[in-house]
Amino acid sequence: MQLNGSQALIKALEMEGVDTIFGLPGGCILPAYDPLLDSAIRHILVRHEQGAGHMAEGYAHVTGRPGVAMVTSGPAATNIVTPLCNAYMDSIPLVVITGQVPVSAIGTDAFQECDTIGVTRSVTKHNELITSAQDIPRAVREAFHIATTGRPGPVLLDIPKDIIDARNPNSAMEWHWPDDADVLAGLPGYRPITHGDPRKIREAAEFILRAERPVIYAGGGILKARAAETLHELAELCGIHVVTTLMARGAFPDSHPLCLGMPGMHGNYTAVTAMQRSDLLIALGSRFDDRITGKVDAFAPEAKVIHVDIDPAEIGKVRRPDVPIVGDCRLVIEELVEVLKELLANGAAFPDRSRWKQTIAGWQEINPLAYVPAEPGDSLKPQFVLEQLRDNNPDDCIVVSGVGQHQMWASQYWHFERPYTWVNSGGLGTMGFAVPAAIGAKVGRPDSTVWAVDGDGCFQMTAQELVTAAAERIPVKIAILNNAYLGMVRQWQEMFYEERYSEVYLSPDLPDYKLWAEAMGCVGMRVDSPEEVEAAIQKANEIDDRPVVIDFRVDAAEKVYPMVAPGQSNDDIVTDPGLRQGIKR
Amino acid sequence: MTALSDDIPHHILSVLVENKAGVLARVSGLFARRGFNIVSLAVAPTEDEYLSRITIAVEVASAPLDQITEQLFKLISVVSITELDPRHAVERELLLVTIEAPPDVRPQILALVDELAGRVLDEGQDRLTVSVEGHPNALDDCAERLRPFGIVELRRTGRVALPKLDNAIDHRLHQV
Ligand SMILES: Cc1ncc(C[n+]2csc(CCOP(=O)(O)OP(=O)(O)O)c2C)c(N)n1
Ligand SMILES: [Mg+2]
């Protein structure tokens, strides 16, 4: 079948099962937008290409399917670099298509030419400049294969205009859809390891059978591998407590008696301390990020480590494991459960861990996650808003957050009961992620309520995508925790720079968020006092035909606790001084 | 100019890559980004037209070897990596040098080239271009001995290496 390159591109995307493209056209990618008119694929026209990338990420987060974005060359390509880097850090499967100047113009500084391949090389799992129309189907199939297998990540395809321009002879091609064998043959250097080494798995089981103070350190890899159920089985079979990192919230239900919640710099006391005192860390799809370990030399000093990851480069990168296992988390945990069951059936038994369990329960009792509640007349506490949002929404509500204090409160105070209900920017910490990612999540899961919990600073970075949401009738809900500050930076200046506040004040009223929301076609609300919170949330939940933005005016002085100061040992975790001393502020 | 090569403890990686545009940039970009220091690098086609071989000497101090190879192996275009321990490998490099060689000192230079087992590739009125092949360390010495005559230009290819025969070590780290 004779096609032109643009038809081949859209057909290849259809063959990959793509139902939605987030994008914005321009000169070089323009030919691809013509066959899109005849395709069943939904295109969502963004207002800024960064939005397209984050929407594709939000979509991928909640569906597990790769997010797809398509933008033009030059400035559009550079605008999508941030989402690519974000997806690379958080292992999110994306396929991003960028237009490029015609093959003959490459290297001449042509209008809107940018070395997109060079610029994005270090923020993609792979990228390719396609130079012939005939290569398009192969390149698309390989891109989806690479993005979604092994450790997932973003793949970029850079497509010169002439090979997709129906009027240019360079766009002529004979349609051929590669089969699996073709894909393997085309990628001789890419064979992700999925099955763990059985000897190592047996060794891991033996470590688990000996451990007196084991902790499962569950990371985002659990969600990527769709291993939440298997994790549940492992934890219950062995009665081992689980911490869920910022990237793994929801991978194990917060209400489960074995769940300790989030560890790390702003983790709760018990999660942090249980890891510190543990004699066996079972790291499953987690990567010993500095925000988890604190000072590495002082991290979990007595713990032996089992490290399961699909990316061999993660094993031993930060902490040398005693039992390294390269493989897909779900497959490895399944095999581990089998071996454990077999050993238990043959008379093996766990040591008595009742003292460890009591110790953990004691920590939970003495240092629960808590804040000093507002006195009548005090300003609204951000944590209170989170509790109200949580209590007025169902378990399957999807929560998306920006980056800053509000993100930590959201992760701390929400009760995550199901996988894929938490979407945030962990590795890169990208302000401006929430609004577009929430839109993408809602497109992927139209039947779920999607709430973004955003900061006033973050909101101002990508708010324009609410115009997209209003135009496309994507009814997301945005809770701005408006503390009038770049709050997280303010907190560091307060704690580590002697309260010398430098360039962190934003003003609560400029912009007027309610008016701004309305101008963008959303319902805008403003909430000042605790009494109004619940009613506003309920009202927002009743609106299903357009986005809603609530400007919650929250206490600017509130800080995120507990906290392990940067570079410090996790032993030096600091809880809220207001709580410790019982002082009412 | 100081000695170029073997003063620095190094690993030798022999990396088989897809022979595609931009692969060298991926490899060198990865080294730059992860802070691995390259001592020398040589690229050439192989007997298979779809593959090229990159021989990289990496500074030992800059990172643990397994981090370097694991990160490198993550590149989609990298097909296999072989680590050659310098103690169990033969290493060779080629040096080309143009030397000031006016008639009065020319016989001296020719004698030295002979001693170094070099070859004269080109003769000018006042200059000679000479090639010497050898172990990178030996080439450092050659350069030093030629220097007093006046080096106009000097080029080195970067080393290539093969495992020593008759030793049982399996050098292969990653093979798909
Ligand atoms: C794009 C980007 N720029 C800067 C930062 C550094 N940064 C981290 S948190 C933060 C403050 C965020 O302010 P806001 O959105 O109001 O959230 P808050 O901390 O007040 O809840 C800043 C500036 C960042 N993470 N991302
Ligand atoms: Mg703020």
Side-chain angles (χ1 to χ4, degrees):
Chain A
M1 180 178 30
Q2 287 290 129
L3 293 182
N4 67 57
S6 63
Q7 292 167 324
L9 175 64
I10 301 303
K11 188 171 164 67
L13 295 173
E14 288 169 349
M15 295 291 288
E16 285 294 344
V18 174
D19 59 14
T20 310
I21 297 175
F22 304 93
L24 192 149
C28 288
I29 197 68
L30 206 144
Y33 272 80
D34 188 67
L36 197 56
L37 281 174
D38 306 320
S39 170
I41 297 176
R42 177 181 188 189
H43 181 274
I44 291 180
L45 176 61
V46 299
R47 267 50 180 178
H48 185 293
E49 291 87 352
Q50 182 186 357
H54 291 322
M55 285 178 204
E57 291 183 277
Y59 175 96
H61 254 291
V62 300
T63 62
R65 298 197 299 273
V68 180
M70 182 161 80
V71 302
T72 192
S73 66
T78 55
N79 275 349
I80 210 159
V81 169
T82 300
L84 284 170
C85 191
N86 192 79
Y88 189 58
M89 293 287 272
D90 285 349
S91 309
I92 302 167
L94 290 191
V95 173
V96 171
I97 293 158
T98 49
Q100 183 53 278
V101 300
V103 173
S104 59
I106 290 176
T108 66
D109 302 317
F111 178 63
Q112 292 192 331
E113 181 181 2
C114 163
D115 173 16
T116 304
I117 293 296
V119 167
T120 61
R121 193 173 283 130
S122 64
V123 295
T124 51
K125 184 173 173 186
H126 193 59
N127 61 15
E128 180 179 347
L129 171 68
I130 309 177
T131 51
S132 149
Q134 194 58 45
D135 286 342
I136 290 173
R138 175 201 51 77
V140 170
R141 257 221 82 177
E142 287 179 1
F144 279 83
H145 178 66
I146 293 169
T148 54
T149 53
R151 180 177 183 168
V155 179
L156 179 136
L157 296 175
D158 201 22
I159 309 189
K161 183 173 188 177
D162 54 330
I163 70 162
I164 51 171
D165 180 0
R167 283 162 301 187
N168 189 311
N170 293 349
S171 76
M173 61 91 66
E174 172 72 28
W175 173 258
H176 168 74
W177 187 240
D179 60 21
D180 290 353
D182 294 333
V183 172
L184 289 184
L187 299 169
Y190 183 67
R191 299 289 182 276
I193 299 165
T194 51
H195 282 277
D197 177 347
R199 279 174 322 197
K200 293 281 173 210
I201 292 175
R202 189 158 285 270
E203 211 180 313
E206 283 157 8
F207 270 75
I208 291 172
L209 280 166
R210 279 198 300 272
E212 289 174 357
R213 304 186 305 281
V215 174
I216 292 175
Y217 161 27
I222 293 284
L223 294 171
K224 299 301 174 336
R226 313 206 85 75
E229 271 176 47
T230 356
L231 168 67
H232 206 266
E233 200 185 348
L234 175 71
E236 290 195 337
L237 176 69
C238 306
I240 299 180
H241 289 91
V242 180
V243 301
T244 50
T245 68
L246 182 67
M247 292 308 295
R249 304 289 290 130
F252 192 71
D254 277 329
S255 61
H256 196 288
L258 289 171
C259 190
L260 301 181
M262 183 174 76
M265 180 177 269
H266 291 297
N268 72 75
Y269 182 88
T270 306
V272 171
T273 309
M275 287 179 93
Q276 264 324 76
R277 299 280 153 269
S278 155
D279 68 347
L280 179 66
L281 284 179
I282 306 162
L284 305 174
S286 46
R287 59 182 178 90
F288 297 83
D289 182 80
D290 53 84
R291 286 298 192 262
I292 298 287
T293 61
K295 190 176 169 202
V296 177
D297 299 339
F299 175 63
E302 288 150 39
K304 298 257 187 274
V305 172
I306 298 169
H307 193 176
V308 181
D309 205 289
I310 196 152
D311 179 357
E314 287 303 341
I315 310 262
K317 186 179 78 178
V318 177
R319 170 93 170 228
R320 190 153 288 279
D322 300 272
V323 186
I325 303 177
V326 177
D328 173 89
C329 265
R330 188 172 57 78
L331 298 176
V332 172
I333 300 171
E334 276 172 7
E335 288 162 33
L336 183 59
V337 165
E338 284 315 304
V339 174
L340 280 163
K341 279 183 178 164
E342 176 204 314
L343 291 170
L344 291 168
N346 290 332
F350 297 112
D352 178 13
R353 295 185 189 136
S354 53
R355 272 197 45 209
W356 173 238
K357 289 188 174 161
Q358 277 165 22
T359 309
I360 287 177
W363 290 329
Q364 283 173 322
E365 185 163 331
I366 298 166
N367 277 311
L369 187 68
Y371 63 96
V372 182
E375 295 284 313
D378 279 1
S379 47
L380 187 55
K381 291 281 180 167
Q383 299 95 327
F384 176 77
V385 177
L386 255 316
E387 288 173 332
Q388 290 294 310
L389 271 172
R390 173 193 74 201
D391 295 342
N392 284 286
N393 278 294
D395 278 356
D396 66 353
C397 174
I398 292 167
V399 193
V400 185
S401 93
V403 170
Q405 292 181 309
H406 62 281
Q407 173 190 27
M408 292 298 119
W409 288 317
S411 179
Q412 290 175 333
Y413 285 92
W414 203 271
H415 294 163
F416 294 97
E417 294 302 319
R418 301 190 194 195
Y420 315 108
T421 55
W422 169 239
V423 180
N424 91 128
S425 164
L428 195 63
T430 310
M431 285 176 71
F433 178 78
V435 168
I439 295 169
K442 183 71 182 172
V443 171
R445 286 265 172 271
D447 297 334
S448 298
T449 305
V450 177
W451 270 98
V453 175
D454 213 2
D456 46 330
C458 289
F459 182 80
Q460 293 188 60
M461 288 202 177
T462 49
Q464 80 286 341
E465 296 310 334
L466 285 171
V467 179
T468 306
E472 297 272 347
R473 302 243 163 233
I474 303 164
V476 290
K477 306 177 201 309
I478 318 288
I480 304 173
L481 300 188
N482 178 3
N483 54 9
Y485 276 94
L486 297 170
M488 188 56 97
V489 183
R490 182 190 190 279
Q491 172 165 348
W492 284 46
Q493 290 178 349
E494 178 178 340
M495 295 173 73
F496 311 123
Y497 291 87
E498 289 136 16
E499 297 180 46
R500 285 164 53 84
Y501 298 118
S502 175
E503 301 298 326
V504 286
Y505 181 65
L506 295 176
S507 157
D509 303 306
L510 181 67
D512 181 323
Y513 293 96
K514 181 174 181 295
L515 277 182
W516 190 11
E518 285 165 1
M520 291 189 288
C522 310
V523 174
M525 292 185 236
R526 172 176 160 177
V527 170
D528 293 84
S529 71
E531 300 75 51
E532 303 165 86
V533 173
E534 186 167 14
I537 293 168
Q538 282 171 358
K539 186 174 162 204
N541 277 343
E542 279 157 24
I543 298 168
D544 206 34
D545 61 345
R546 73 196 73 184
V548 185
V549 177
I550 310 182
D551 170 10
F552 289 102
R553 299 296 176 95
V554 299
D555 188 350
E558 196 62 28
K559 289 191 287 296
V560 184
Y561 284 112
M563 179 169 193
V564 178
Q568 297 297 304
S569 160
N570 283 353
D571 288 334
D572 301 325
I573 182 169
V574 177
T575 50
D576 190 337
L579 284 169
R580 265 185 292 149
Q581 295 153 16
I583 296 171
K584 293 264 152 64
R585 274 185 276 170
Chain B
M1 193 171 26
T2 54
L4 291 170
S5 34
D6 278 327
D7 291 342
I8 307 163
H10 62 278
H11 306 290
I12 309 165
L13 299 176
S14 177
V15 187
L16 202 59
V17 298
E18 286 184 78
N19 182 11
K20 282 186 181 164
V23 173
L24 182 60
R26 280 181 209 284
V27 171
S28 56
L30 176 96
F31 276 73
R33 186 161 67 90
R34 299 271 174 192
F36 309 150
N37 291 338
I38 297 178
V39 178
S40 116
L41 183 142
V43 195
T46 63
E47 53 284 2
D48 181 338
E49 62 172 313
Y50 295 105
L51 300 174
S52 305
R53 182 167 305 278
I54 306 181
T55 307
I56 315 171
V58 202
E59 201 176 300
V60 167
S62 66
L65 180 67
D66 50 1
Q67 252 307 293
I68 299 175
T69 57
E70 296 298 0
Q71 293 293 352
L72 201 52
F73 200 56
K74 270 168 80 167
L75 297 178
I76 308 292
S77 318
V78 168
V79 177
S80 75
I81 305 171
T82 312
E83 199 249 331
L84 298 168
D85 183 326
R87 289 166 304 175
H88 302 293
V90 287
E91 300 177 64
R92 279 297 175 272
E93 188 174 1
L94 184 73
L95 175 153
L96 292 186
V97 61
T98 299
I99 321 161
E100 298 288 4
D104 52 328
V105 294
R106 191 167 295 208
Q108 252 176 288
I109 295 177
L110 290 173
L112 178 59
V113 168
D114 214 35
E115 188 195 328
L116 297 172
R119 289 203 302 148
V120 175
L121 300 182
D122 195 13
E123 295 183 56
Q125 200 120 61
D126 295 313
R127 292 173 176 181
L128 284 176
T129 292
V130 169
S131 75
V132 190
E133 168 262 290
H135 189 279
N137 278 358
L139 297 187
D140 292 347
D141 295 342
C142 288
E144 286 318 305
R145 294 187 62 189
L146 290 166
R147 189 169 315 284
F149 297 100
I151 291 177
V152 183
E153 282 190 85
L154 183 144
R155 300 276 186 279
R156 295 175 62 158
T157 56
R159 76 191 69 205
V160 291
L162 279 175
K164 276 188 186 159
L165 302 175
D166 299 332
N167 83 43
I169 297 176
D170 185 6
H171 295 273
R172 239 163 279 169
L173 280 176
H174 284 295
Q175 199 88 35
V176 171

